[in-house]
Amino acid sequence: MNKPRLAAAILALALLGCQQPTRTAPGESTAWDAFVGTFLDEHAAILPNWAAGIGRHEFDGMLPDFSRAGIQRRIDHAHASRDRALAFDGASLSTAQRFERDNLVAELDDELFWLEDGARPWTNPAFYAFALDPNVYVDREYAPLAQRMRAYSAWARGMPRALAEARANLRSPMPRSYVQLARGVFGGLAGFLEKDVPGVFAPVRDPWLREEFEASNAAAAKAVREFDAWLATQEAAATDAYAMGTDKFLRMLRATEQIDMPLARLKEMGERDLERNLDALAAACSRFAPGQGIEACVAKMKARKPEEGPVAAAGKQLRELRAFVVARGVVTIPGPEIADVRPAPPYRRWNAAYLDVPGPYEKGLVSTFRIAPPDPKWSAAEQAAYIPGVRDLLFYSVHEVWPGHFLQHQYSDRAPSRVGRLFRSYAFSEGWAHYSEEMMWEMGLADGDPEVHVAQLVNALWRDVRYLSAIGLHTGGMTIAQSEAMFREKAFLDPGNARQQAARGTFDPGYGNYTLGKLMIRKLRDD
């Protein structure tokens, strides 16, 4: 475990228990602060979709340059910025500025790994799928609807060009799981543009804005449909060549999280945590479902579905969890921000749940905890099994909102460092959210109810299997079918979730960071 990202975890954990320090002028470099401001402006110009998402709305409607030359400019800028940051002598910077410099360099190392060593622009259509999300204009009420509609129309006008550039960049054949994920995203996005977006902007009656919107939205939907159709032609030649290999997998951990450990040690850590949680599950099941066996015990917990549906049930859980955090003094809540719960849009249903958080430049906006409904193409039994049980859902709510991602965002949005506000470690972000599930049980959530403990442990096993699948899929010759079987046998996932999670491991090899980050935080706590 190594340097700036681990140090970021230590600092942020400290901040969770106290007021944040204010920066002091003595010993600080004005040149460094100027450099950070320049870098952020340049980064926003290169990635205007990111800039709009964090609340810099002067970049509304703009899309990145996905041409080969545009991607090379992004790479060149990251290298140049890294060199400029390292040129600042540590002796000329305050302690806070040295930390900020190391944090920025770590972020640039992460970006450069995926652009160069990871080759995402050339091999993975998800590189484009996740960048071409209209959510900020459609769902985030940062401005009057007419203003957002104008920005959306500009975004939509850029989609045919962006998708043409993506198609020119992607090399065939691609891994089958990459193509299937992208088809789900782009197919869902096309339907969303055709069916959902017009209703969002229907109240805007200005004839010029409506004409502009209808033409640009139709062109965008057509371009997305055509891109999805092109992806369909790639399926026949698609391969199972998703594995990074041991050397690249370890380079990924060093570049993206500054973890420098032997593979055998990493694997042993995950296996030990899996066994710890399986043993704890056996003990919890002996209380919740005595004599029934672990599989029957977990099935009993999952069988009690929320009568009002998962979205409404999660909304109630968020209120109860916040009250628990306050009453038990789990952590200080730094502000009045709130999160609501809604279904995930059609193009974001490849994972069970996620949190959509306004950027730090936004003020007074609501975050949204999104829950994915089951795929209607699945059998009725698989759709029913995909809906989480009441207690299972409770730990989705803990992870995403109280005191997981949402609370962590409240603190990071108040960080004195601009770099700290805008960039986050995958391992610390997901590690904290996952750690908080176990922490809440330890703090007395549900007063020792063994059904709740079963749910907490099943969620922990889910992340343990992600960790071991990431290692297996990319370094150990594990197949997607073998990963799926491990999710079902060791984490007791339903078939739909197991398929999604096994496939995710091929295109998101960092998803072991949930358990890795949790283990890092547990080690800090033990120390």
Side-chain angles (χ1 to χ4, degrees):
M1 301 175 189
N2 220 329
K3 312 294 191 317
R5 293 296 172 106
L6 181 57
I10 297 169
L11 176 63
L13 284 171
L15 292 180
L16 287 174
C18 62
Q19 293 297 316
Q20 298 176 31
T22 57
R23 293 179 64 173
T24 55
E28 294 204 339
S29 166
T30 57
W32 170 258
D33 286 343
F35 162 70
V36 171
T38 299
F39 165 78
L40 292 175
D41 287 343
E42 292 170 349
H43 192 69
I46 291 169
L47 293 175
N49 57 316
W50 169 82
I54 63 174
R56 292 193 59 175
H57 293 295
E58 68 268 33
F59 293 96
D60 276 5
M62 302 180 192
L63 290 173
D65 180 356
F66 286 134
S67 70
R68 289 179 177 268
I71 290 171
Q72 188 59 51
R73 280 192 293 273
R74 179 176 172 184
I75 292 169
D76 292 344
H77 178 258
H79 276 295
S81 298
R82 188 182 190 279
D83 291 343
R84 286 157 60 199
L86 289 173
F88 281 87
D89 181 1
S92 68
L93 303 177
S94 69
T95 300
Q97 288 175 325
R98 286 195 298 273
F99 179 87
E100 186 173 57
R101 178 199 59 188
D102 293 347
N103 198 14
L104 178 58
V105 169
E107 176 62 31
L108 290 168
D109 285 344
D110 184 319
E111 180 177 16
L112 286 167
F113 174 83
W114 291 116
L115 291 173
E116 294 184 310
D117 212 355
R120 274 185 171 168
W122 325 115
T123 61
N124 194 343
F127 176 81
Y128 306 97
F130 299 151
L132 299 174
D133 188 337
N135 174 69
V136 64
Y137 312 117
V138 175
D139 197 56
R140 197 170 292 171
E141 298 179 357
Y142 66 88
L145 190 62
Q147 180 180 332
R148 288 161 44 213
M149 182 175 172
R150 186 180 295 110
Y152 172 86
S153 295
W155 173 89
R157 281 197 302 276
M159 284 291 282
R161 184 265 304 167
L163 291 170
E165 291 169 343
R167 182 170 169 176
N169 290 342
L170 289 165
R171 303 168 185 158
S172 298
M174 291 177 277
R176 184 172 293 102
S177 56
Y178 290 18
V179 176
Q180 290 171 344
L181 166 76
R183 292 215 62 206
V185 173
F186 284 108
L189 180 60
F192 183 73
L193 301 186
E194 293 163 348
K195 300 172 186 176
D196 297 271
V197 171
V200 172
F201 294 116
V204 179
R205 306 313 306 165
D206 180 285
W208 185 85
L209 289 178
R210 291 221 58 80
E211 181 180 359
E212 179 187 44
F213 164 75
E214 288 164 6
S216 60
N217 190 54
K222 179 174 182 289
V224 174
R225 285 283 181 207
E226 290 173 349
F227 190 76
D228 181 43
W230 174 75
L231 287 170
T233 69
Q234 304 300 302
E235 290 190 274
T239 72
D240 291 320
Y242 50 76
M244 301 176 80
T246 298
D247 289 346
K248 186 180 286 189
F249 185 82
L250 293 175
R251 289 201 303 274
M252 175 194 74
L253 290 177
R254 285 193 294 269
T256 63
E257 297 296 340
Q258 302 209 347
I259 301 296
D260 192 1
M261 299 175 69
L263 184 66
R265 171 67 174 137
L266 288 164
K267 187 176 180 182
E268 187 270 334
M269 287 165 51
E271 289 171 341
R272 191 169 67 239
D273 199 60
L274 178 74
E275 291 306 314
R276 177 179 75 94
N277 286 314
L278 283 170
D279 289 346
L281 179 61
C285 282
S286 70
R287 297 175 57 218
F288 174 56
Q292 294 188 30
I294 292 180
E295 287 191 20
C297 163
V298 173
K300 179 181 176 183
M301 180 273 293
K302 293 190 173 191
R304 192 159 69 88
K305 306 293 185 181
E307 294 180 1
E308 65 272 57
V311 171
K316 181 181 178 183
Q317 288 174 350
L318 297 191
R319 295 187 291 273
E320 294 170 348
L321 287 168
R322 189 184 190 283
F324 177 88
V325 167
V326 172
R328 297 294 178 97
V330 176
V331 62
T332 301
I333 297 174
E337 297 94 328
I338 60 171
D340 65 9
V341 192
R342 301 182 201 175
Y347 60 94
R348 287 292 304 268
R349 293 178 180 175
W350 53 271
N351 201 43
Y354 68 95
L355 184 70
D356 176 29
V357 185
Y361 290 98
E362 305 282 20
K363 301 300 177 188
L365 297 186
V366 173
S367 295
T368 306
F369 171 21
R370 297 283 191 174
I371 299 175
D375 190 327
K377 296 189 293 292
W378 295 344
S379 70
E382 288 188 345
Q383 290 186 54
Y386 189 80
I387 296 171
V390 173
R391 296 309 200 183
D392 210 7
L393 179 66
L394 178 65
F395 288 95
Y396 289 25
S397 298
V398 168
H399 183 102
E400 300 297 345
V401 184
W402 296 115
H405 287 313
F406 177 69
L407 179 68
Q408 190 179 47
H409 274 277
Q410 285 187 301
Y411 271 94
S412 63
D413 285 352
R414 291 165 168 80
S417 163
R418 286 172 289 176
V419 174
R421 288 197 294 271
L422 295 170
F423 302 107
R424 296 176 178 87
S425 153
Y426 191 173
F428 183 41
S429 178
E430 294 299 350
W432 167 258
H434 181 38
Y435 168 79
S436 68
E437 300 163 25
E438 185 171 354
M439 178 193 68
M440 287 286 276
W441 167 254
E442 292 171 343
M443 292 292 291
L445 184 64
D447 298 320
D449 182 344
E451 182 183 12
V452 170
H453 199 197
V454 169
Q456 179 262 310
L457 290 163
V458 167
N459 277 270
L461 289 165
W462 180 350
R463 279 38 176 258
D464 284 331
V465 176
R466 277 183 179 171
Y467 181 97
L468 294 170
S469 280
I471 293 173
L473 289 164
H474 291 281
T475 74
M478 179 184 283
T479 66
I480 295 175
Q482 288 170 331
S483 172
E484 182 180 335
M486 185 161 61
F487 276 109
R488 296 187 68 171
E489 294 164 7
K490 297 294 186 181
F492 309 98
L493 284 191
D494 61 276
N497 260 311
R499 280 196 300 272
Q500 287 182 339
Q501 295 305 306
R504 178 176 171 180
T506 67
F507 59 79
D508 180 13
Y511 81 159
N513 279 324
Y514 290 72
T515 289
L516 182 61
K518 177 194 72 175
L519 293 176
M520 292 169 72
I521 293 171
R522 283 176 56 88
K523 179 65 167 62
L524 287 169
R525 187 180 75 172
D526 291 345
D527 290 348

